[in-house]
Amino acid sequence: MFQKTVTNTSIASLSKTCKTLNQLKQIHAYLLKSILHETPFAIGPLLSVAATSNNDSFFTYANAIFRSLIFRNTFMFNTMIRGNVERNRPVFGVLCYKDMLNCGFLPNNYTFPPLIKACSVLDCRKFGCLVHAHVVIFGFCYDPYVGSALIEFYSKNLDLRSARVLFDEMPDRDVVLWTVMIDGYGKMGDVENARALFDEMPERNVIAWSTIMAAYSRVSEFREVICLYSLMQRKGVRPNESVLVSVTTACANLGALAQGMWIHSYAKQNKLDCNPILATALVDMYSKCGYLELALSVFECIAAKDSASWNAIISGVAINGDARKSIELFNKMVKTEARPNETTFVAVFTACTHARLVNEGLELFEQMDSLYGVEPKYEHHACMVDLLARAGRLEEAKNFIDNRMGDFGEGDANVWGALLNACRIYGNVEIGDGVWKRLANMRVGDSGTRVLSYNIYKEAGWENEAKGVRKLISDSRIQKTPGCSILEVDGVVEEFVAGDLSHPQAQEIRRMLVSLFSVMYTLE
């Protein structure tokens, strides 16, 4: 019965229907019995199905088949190169290519994309350049798929110049090639070149829109993300999950609640709200906009809660002032499959700092490595300094920097600045004086730390020291970064910078503020 089926059906079609290893072996056994295993067109499809399957036993069997073959061809070598790379075995993919050349087989345009990807995974620029030379020698430098793989390789190695030369030399550039080049610039933070290419694109799909939005999001130009999304809507392009994540992240950072809620509604209508990455972005957006109940509601609806979603809600609860709830969520998290990571502890330490839960924070810090296997990094040590300093335990904070942070804190202005700010709050001029002198010796004091030091000395009556810092401020002519407020009005995000009158309605706003001040004065 089986033989009749094989006889009446192509080997390629039948191989694709294999669901179990036994079925695969049955087809292979038939090929062996009928001597068809010596025919590349017969064994090739079977090998392809086995090598590119997600099933570990299938791939192991594919290796066994390949090693036993007497007759091989370029297709079979390509299959094994691709299979090894897809299964995160890049070294074996490279070795397979070397065997292919040693056996006298010539590569084709299907050989190079997975091989170049292997070089990217291995982060081996030297071998990647060698493969590029082979691409040129064998005449595939103008193939769009090979070119796309090379551009992605050079972009990952931060060599945008080589990537751009390749891109400019390609005679036929499809939307994939344009998008790969834009993504390369985006990952380098070069949004100017990324946007110039995007504007030149003859056609754009949703992936291209998503790529340029992600580029702007990386450099925190969130207003541009919103503008691009509006333009995309006017062009009639339907957003995918990646676009919605970028826009939701932008809404979170701009405080654009109305726009964020519209995104949430759209995601629900199109059944995209189940995407865990988008749901996590929504949790973050609602938290930053102060709508904690909505953030918790979205979080509870996430079916498979990973570390990122737990981190978002723990951090969100913390920034909204409910430190106890934040720690409670952390305790729930450690009981699930999602393990806490570096970001988790930053969120929990922030919660402990705001609630003055010093002992709890210190205890968790000691447990990070021993209990949870997370090695404390710079930001975790900085959190401990801030925790101790804000609680008024200034001497402990100073000793923590000196004894526990080592190279982390020796020359870090932010850590010492946090301690200096606490000295100002608690009026500790002795420690504040030592911190200021250390900052001055490091030559990293900015306008904020200098003003803090001046106030500490002035309030303590140390007039000579205060005059010295005051003179330093005047001589350095450091410009303080102006304050900025972001408001959402009728779904439009407006930005107001202190002292800036460039807003088209600046005079009307000014008159309204004067009117409000007048009413407030009358009420008093």
Side-chain angles (χ1 to χ4, degrees):
M1 182 71 178
F2 175 74
Q3 286 189 357
K4 184 178 179 181
T5 305
V6 173
T7 305
N8 296 333
T9 310
S10 70
I11 298 295
S13 299
L14 191 61
S15 298
K16 291 177 182 178
T17 64
C18 291
K19 302 295 183 185
T20 66
L21 185 60
N22 282 336
Q23 290 175 343
L24 195 74
K25 287 180 175 180
Q26 281 184 313
I27 297 175
H28 189 206
Y30 173 79
L31 294 176
L32 290 169
K33 185 178 178 182
S34 61
I35 323 181
L36 285 173
H37 70 287
E38 297 180 1
T39 310
F41 80 85
I43 197 69
L46 183 71
L47 182 68
S48 178
V49 168
T52 57
S53 169
N54 290 327
N55 190 311
D56 289 340
S57 58
F58 272 41
F59 185 76
T60 302
Y61 197 69
N63 270 320
I65 293 174
F66 185 71
R67 286 195 300 270
S68 67
L69 291 174
I70 299 173
F71 301 101
R72 298 174 181 173
N73 59 14
T74 298
F75 171 80
M76 293 177 182
F77 275 102
N78 288 349
T79 297
M80 295 310 298
I81 292 170
R82 182 161 64 96
N84 276 293
V85 174
E86 287 180 354
R87 298 194 67 78
N88 199 28
R89 290 160 46 100
V91 173
F92 291 97
V94 171
L95 292 174
C96 193
Y97 176 67
K98 291 178 71 176
D99 288 343
M100 176 182 176
L101 296 179
N102 291 334
C103 291
F105 293 102
L106 296 179
N108 59 24
N109 58 327
Y110 292 101
T111 308
F112 292 109
L115 186 62
I116 295 165
K117 183 179 178 182
C119 298
S120 294
V121 174
L122 292 169
D123 199 18
C124 183
R125 191 180 190 282
K126 185 177 180 180
F127 190 74
C129 291
L130 180 62
V131 172
H132 187 183
H134 282 211
V135 169
V136 176
I137 291 168
F138 292 111
F140 297 106
C141 51
Y142 295 130
D143 182 276
Y145 295 103
V146 176
S148 177
L150 282 170
I151 290 170
E152 192 169 359
F153 166 75
Y154 282 117
S155 298
K156 184 179 179 183
N157 280 274
L158 308 181
D159 186 357
L160 266 296
R161 181 176 295 180
S162 297
R164 186 58 186 264
V165 168
L166 278 168
F167 177 80
D168 290 337
E169 288 178 349
M170 294 296 294
D172 299 312
R173 294 177 290 195
D174 60 9
V175 67
V176 175
L177 208 57
W178 283 86
T179 304
V180 168
M181 193 67 230
I182 291 168
D183 189 47
Y185 279 124
K187 287 176 178 174
M188 286 284 290
D190 187 354
V191 289
E192 185 177 343
N193 273 313
R195 183 58 182 271
L197 274 180
F198 179 78
D199 291 338
E200 289 176 28
M201 286 184 76
E203 61 173 316
R204 305 171 187 141
N205 59 13
V206 68
I207 298 173
W209 286 96
S210 172
T211 301
I212 190 64
M213 288 184 199
Y216 277 108
S217 187
R218 285 190 193 96
V219 295
S220 301
E221 291 194 26
F222 299 112
R223 288 174 64 85
E224 197 59 42
V225 175
I226 300 293
C227 291
L228 278 166
Y229 181 65
S230 299
L231 180 61
M232 189 186 83
Q233 286 183 303
R234 291 197 295 272
K235 296 287 185 181
V237 181
R238 288 176 61 86
N240 60 11
E241 288 100 325
S242 297
V243 169
L244 296 179
V245 168
S246 291
V247 180
T248 305
T249 302
C251 292
N253 286 277
L254 294 173
L257 178 63
Q259 181 85 52
M261 293 182 79
W262 187 93
I263 296 293
H264 190 187
S265 176
Y266 178 88
K268 277 185 175 179
Q269 290 172 9
N270 292 273
K271 302 188 186 309
L272 300 175
D273 57 322
C274 296
N275 181 298
I277 300 175
L278 178 56
T280 299
L282 287 167
V283 169
D284 184 56
M285 185 271 296
Y286 281 128
S287 298
K288 287 180 177 175
C289 289
Y291 281 70
L292 192 55
E293 288 185 8
L294 285 172
L296 286 164
S297 174
V298 174
F299 174 75
E300 292 300 332
C301 291
I302 300 175
K305 298 178 177 66
D306 59 7
S307 297
S309 54
W310 279 102
N311 291 347
I313 194 64
I314 291 169
S315 178
V317 171
I319 63 176
N320 279 277
D322 194 345
R324 295 287 183 186
K325 177 70 174 178
S326 185
I327 295 171
E328 179 186 323
L329 285 165
F330 171 79
N331 291 331
K332 285 184 179 179
M333 177 188 181
V334 298
K335 295 176 182 177
T336 68
E337 293 182 0
R339 302 302 300 165
N341 55 25
E342 295 170 7
T343 307
T344 313
F345 283 100
V346 171
V348 177
F349 293 153
T350 300
C352 292
T353 299
H354 289 311
R356 303 290 194 272
L357 300 175
V358 181
N359 293 332
E360 289 86 342
L362 290 171
E363 184 180 357
L364 276 172
F365 181 82
E366 297 299 333
Q367 293 174 345
M368 274 185 70
D369 196 1
S370 61
L371 191 58
Y372 301 105
V374 180
E375 182 184 354
K377 297 289 192 302
Y378 156 76
E379 56 267 29
H380 305 109
H381 288 85
C383 284
M384 289 300 99
V385 174
D386 197 30
L387 173 68
L388 291 165
R390 290 199 189 201
R393 295 161 66 163
L394 306 181
E395 193 67 45
E396 289 179 64
K398 181 179 177 299
N399 291 337
F400 188 93
I401 299 174
D402 290 332
N403 301 327
R404 299 290 295 273
M405 291 194 71
D407 293 337
F408 280 137
E410 184 60 32
D412 191 274
N414 292 321
V415 172
W416 289 107
L419 180 55
L420 186 66
N421 184 54
C423 292
R424 161 76 172 82
I425 294 170
Y426 290 96
N428 193 317
V429 67
E430 288 80 12
I431 294 179
D433 177 53
V435 172
W436 164 244
K437 287 177 179 175
R438 188 180 292 241
L439 285 168
N441 290 333
M442 289 160 54
R443 300 182 184 277
V444 292
D446 57 13
S447 60
T449 56
R450 293 180 185 188
V451 170
L452 274 174
S453 301
Y454 170 79
N455 289 331
I456 291 171
Y457 288 136
K458 189 71 176 174
E459 290 169 10
W462 292 26
E463 294 297 335
N464 290 335
E465 286 78 1
K467 287 178 183 178
V469 178
R470 184 74 178 179
K471 186 177 185 304
L472 190 61
I473 293 171
S474 301
D475 293 344
S476 62
R477 296 181 181 177
I478 294 176
Q479 295 294 319
K480 184 180 179 182
T481 305
C484 171
S485 297
I486 296 175
L487 300 173
E488 184 182 22
V489 182
D490 296 330
V492 178
V493 176
E494 302 283 358
E495 185 178 46
F496 299 94
V497 178
D500 180 20
L501 300 177
S502 62
H503 192 280
Q505 294 177 283
Q507 295 304 320
E508 294 176 49
I509 295 169
R510 193 178 186 85
R511 283 195 293 271
M512 177 59 73
L513 286 172
V514 171
S515 175
L516 286 171
F517 287 141
S518 176
V519 171
M520 291 167 66
Y521 180 77
T522 304
L523 290 173
E524 288 181 357

PDB file of all heavy atoms in Angstrom, residues 17 23 46 80 84 208 342 348 363 370 420 431 442 464 474 478:
ATOM      1  N   THR A  17       4.744  15.920   3.495  1.00  0.00           N
ATOM      2  CA  THR A  17       3.627  15.502   4.356  1.00  0.00           C
ATOM      3  C   THR A  17       4.089  14.758   5.607  1.00  0.00           C
ATOM      4  O   THR A  17       3.277  14.406   6.451  1.00  0.00           O
ATOM      5  CB  THR A  17       2.652  14.596   3.576  1.00  0.00           C
ATOM      6  OG1 THR A  17       3.336  13.393   3.202  1.00  0.00           O
ATOM      7  CG2 THR A  17       2.140  15.299   2.330  1.00  0.00           C
ATOM      8  N   GLN A  23       7.641   8.104   9.487  1.00  0.00           N
ATOM      9  CA  GLN A  23       7.175   8.347   8.115  1.00  0.00           C
ATOM     10  C   GLN A  23       8.351   8.737   7.224  1.00  0.00           C
ATOM     11  O   GLN A  23       8.451   8.306   6.073  1.00  0.00           O
ATOM     12  CB  GLN A  23       6.119   9.454   8.107  1.00  0.00           C
ATOM     13  CG  GLN A  23       4.803   9.048   8.737  1.00  0.00           C
ATOM     14  CD  GLN A  23       3.815  10.212   8.822  1.00  0.00           C
ATOM     15  OE1 GLN A  23       4.200  11.370   8.710  1.00  0.00           O
ATOM     16  NE2 GLN A  23       2.545   9.882   9.024  1.00  0.00           N
ATOM     17  N   LEU A  46      13.686  14.938   0.186  1.00  0.00           N
ATOM     18  CA  LEU A  46      13.621  14.296   1.502  1.00  0.00           C
ATOM     19  C   LEU A  46      14.636  14.930   2.450  1.00  0.00           C
ATOM     20  O   LEU A  46      14.334  15.227   3.608  1.00  0.00           O
ATOM     21  CB  LEU A  46      13.895  12.802   1.358  1.00  0.00           C
ATOM     22  CG  LEU A  46      13.793  11.976   2.654  1.00  0.00           C
ATOM     23  CD1 LEU A  46      12.344  11.858   3.082  1.00  0.00           C
ATOM     24  CD2 LEU A  46      14.395  10.596   2.447  1.00  0.00           C
ATOM     25  N   MET A  80      22.043  21.726   3.595  1.00  0.00           N
ATOM     26  CA  MET A  80      22.694  21.493   4.886  1.00  0.00           C
ATOM     27  C   MET A  80      23.266  22.791   5.470  1.00  0.00           C
ATOM     28  O   MET A  80      23.250  22.980   6.696  1.00  0.00           O
ATOM     29  CB  MET A  80      23.796  20.450   4.734  1.00  0.00           C
ATOM     30  CG  MET A  80      23.289  19.068   4.353  1.00  0.00           C
ATOM     31  SD  MET A  80      21.929  18.471   5.400  1.00  0.00           S
ATOM     32  CE  MET A  80      22.727  18.399   7.006  1.00  0.00           C
ATOM     33  N   ASN A  84      21.803  24.040   9.079  1.00  0.00           N
ATOM     34  CA  ASN A  84      22.683  24.284  10.223  1.00  0.00           C
ATOM     35  C   ASN A  84      22.546  25.710  10.752  1.00  0.00           C
ATOM     36  O   ASN A  84      22.512  25.930  11.972  1.00  0.00           O
ATOM     37  CB  ASN A  84      24.139  24.014   9.822  1.00  0.00           C
ATOM     38  CG  ASN A  84      24.520  22.550   9.931  1.00  0.00           C
ATOM     39  OD1 ASN A  84      24.585  21.988  11.012  1.00  0.00           O
ATOM     40  ND2 ASN A  84      24.762  21.920   8.780  1.00  0.00           N
ATOM     41  N   ALA A 208       8.654  48.658   5.914  1.00  0.00           N
ATOM     42  CA  ALA A 208       9.482  49.854   5.736  1.00  0.00           C
ATOM     43  C   ALA A 208       9.041  50.963   6.695  1.00  0.00           C
ATOM     44  O   ALA A 208       9.873  51.630   7.317  1.00  0.00           O
ATOM     45  CB  ALA A 208       9.399  50.336   4.295  1.00  0.00           C
ATOM     46  N   GLU A 342      18.038  41.978  35.153  1.00  0.00           N
ATOM     47  CA  GLU A 342      18.639  43.237  35.610  1.00  0.00           C
ATOM     48  C   GLU A 342      17.611  44.362  35.677  1.00  0.00           C
ATOM     49  O   GLU A 342      17.594  45.159  36.613  1.00  0.00           O
ATOM     50  CB  GLU A 342      19.792  43.622  34.671  1.00  0.00           C
ATOM     51  CG  GLU A 342      20.953  42.628  34.706  1.00  0.00           C
ATOM     52  CD  GLU A 342      21.962  42.877  33.605  1.00  0.00           C
ATOM     53  OE1 GLU A 342      21.829  43.908  32.904  1.00  0.00           O
ATOM     54  OE2 GLU A 342      22.884  42.068  33.449  1.00  0.00           O
ATOM     55  N   VAL A 348      12.394  47.388  41.041  1.00  0.00           N
ATOM     56  CA  VAL A 348      12.090  47.133  42.462  1.00  0.00           C
ATOM     57  C   VAL A 348      12.877  48.081  43.366  1.00  0.00           C
ATOM     58  O   VAL A 348      12.342  48.618  44.345  1.00  0.00           O
ATOM     59  CB  VAL A 348      12.393  45.668  42.821  1.00  0.00           C
ATOM     60  CG1 VAL A 348      12.139  45.425  44.305  1.00  0.00           C
ATOM     61  CG2 VAL A 348      11.534  44.725  42.004  1.00  0.00           C
ATOM     62  N   GLU A 363      18.323  44.126  51.349  1.00  0.00           N
ATOM     63  CA  GLU A 363      18.202  42.668  51.403  1.00  0.00           C
ATOM     64  C   GLU A 363      18.083  42.085  49.995  1.00  0.00           C
ATOM     65  O   GLU A 363      18.729  41.081  49.663  1.00  0.00           O
ATOM     66  CB  GLU A 363      16.975  42.272  52.236  1.00  0.00           C
ATOM     67  CG  GLU A 363      16.824  40.767  52.418  1.00  0.00           C
ATOM     68  CD  GLU A 363      15.605  40.404  53.244  1.00  0.00           C
ATOM     69  OE1 GLU A 363      14.897  41.323  53.722  1.00  0.00           O
ATOM     70  OE2 GLU A 363      15.349  39.196  53.401  1.00  0.00           O
ATOM     71  N   SER A 370      23.084  35.716  44.715  1.00  0.00           N
ATOM     72  CA  SER A 370      23.045  34.443  45.445  1.00  0.00           C
ATOM     73  C   SER A 370      21.744  33.682  45.239  1.00  0.00           C
ATOM     74  O   SER A 370      21.744  32.454  45.104  1.00  0.00           O
ATOM     75  CB  SER A 370      23.265  34.696  46.939  1.00  0.00           C
ATOM     76  OG  SER A 370      22.245  35.539  47.461  1.00  0.00           O
ATOM     77  N   LEU A 420      25.151  64.150  46.571  1.00  0.00           N
ATOM     78  CA  LEU A 420      25.210  65.599  46.805  1.00  0.00           C
ATOM     79  C   LEU A 420      23.808  66.173  46.966  1.00  0.00           C
ATOM     80  O   LEU A 420      23.575  67.038  47.828  1.00  0.00           O
ATOM     81  CB  LEU A 420      25.924  66.279  45.630  1.00  0.00           C
ATOM     82  CG  LEU A 420      26.208  67.773  45.781  1.00  0.00           C
ATOM     83  CD1 LEU A 420      27.212  68.018  46.902  1.00  0.00           C
ATOM     84  CD2 LEU A 420      26.729  68.356  44.468  1.00  0.00           C
ATOM     85  N   ILE A 431      29.661  66.161  54.563  1.00  0.00           N
ATOM     86  CA  ILE A 431      29.737  65.176  53.480  1.00  0.00           C
ATOM     87  C   ILE A 431      29.596  65.868  52.129  1.00  0.00           C
ATOM     88  O   ILE A 431      30.287  65.540  51.159  1.00  0.00           O
ATOM     89  CB  ILE A 431      28.664  64.082  53.660  1.00  0.00           C
ATOM     90  CG1 ILE A 431      28.961  63.249  54.915  1.00  0.00           C
ATOM     91  CG2 ILE A 431      28.603  63.172  52.432  1.00  0.00           C
ATOM     92  CD1 ILE A 431      27.947  62.161  55.193  1.00  0.00           C
ATOM     93  N   MET A 442      37.333  65.706  39.631  1.00  0.00           N
ATOM     94  CA  MET A 442      37.011  64.895  38.453  1.00  0.00           C
ATOM     95  C   MET A 442      36.730  65.771  37.232  1.00  0.00           C
ATOM     96  O   MET A 442      36.692  65.282  36.103  1.00  0.00           O
ATOM     97  CB  MET A 442      35.778  64.017  38.741  1.00  0.00           C
ATOM     98  CG  MET A 442      36.051  62.882  39.720  1.00  0.00           C
ATOM     99  SD  MET A 442      34.528  62.225  40.489  1.00  0.00           S
ATOM    100  CE  MET A 442      33.546  61.846  39.059  1.00  0.00           C
ATOM    101  N   ASN A 464      32.688  81.779  52.265  1.00  0.00           N
ATOM    102  CA  ASN A 464      33.839  81.754  51.366  1.00  0.00           C
ATOM    103  C   ASN A 464      33.716  80.642  50.321  1.00  0.00           C
ATOM    104  O   ASN A 464      34.004  80.843  49.135  1.00  0.00           O
ATOM    105  CB  ASN A 464      35.138  81.577  52.158  1.00  0.00           C
ATOM    106  CG  ASN A 464      35.478  82.807  52.977  1.00  0.00           C
ATOM    107  OD1 ASN A 464      35.058  83.928  52.647  1.00  0.00           O
ATOM    108  ND2 ASN A 464      36.218  82.616  54.071  1.00  0.00           N
ATOM    109  N   SER A 474      29.980  81.452  37.335  1.00  0.00           N
ATOM    110  CA  SER A 474      30.025  82.628  36.454  1.00  0.00           C
ATOM    111  C   SER A 474      31.119  82.488  35.403  1.00  0.00           C
ATOM    112  O   SER A 474      30.909  82.787  34.220  1.00  0.00           O
ATOM    113  CB  SER A 474      30.266  83.897  37.273  1.00  0.00           C
ATOM    114  OG  SER A 474      29.245  84.079  38.226  1.00  0.00           O
ATOM    115  N   ILE A 478      28.331  77.988  32.062  1.00  0.00           N
ATOM    116  CA  ILE A 478      27.564  76.783  31.712  1.00  0.00           C
ATOM    117  C   ILE A 478      26.093  77.150  31.591  1.00  0.00           C
ATOM    118  O   ILE A 478      25.518  77.801  32.478  1.00  0.00           O
ATOM    119  CB  ILE A 478      27.736  75.684  32.782  1.00  0.00           C
ATOM    120  CG1 ILE A 478      29.186  75.193  32.785  1.00  0.00           C
ATOM    121  CG2 ILE A 478      26.782  74.527  32.525  1.00  0.00           C
ATOM    122  CD1 ILE A 478      29.478  74.175  33.860  1.00  0.00           C
TER     123      ILE A 478
END
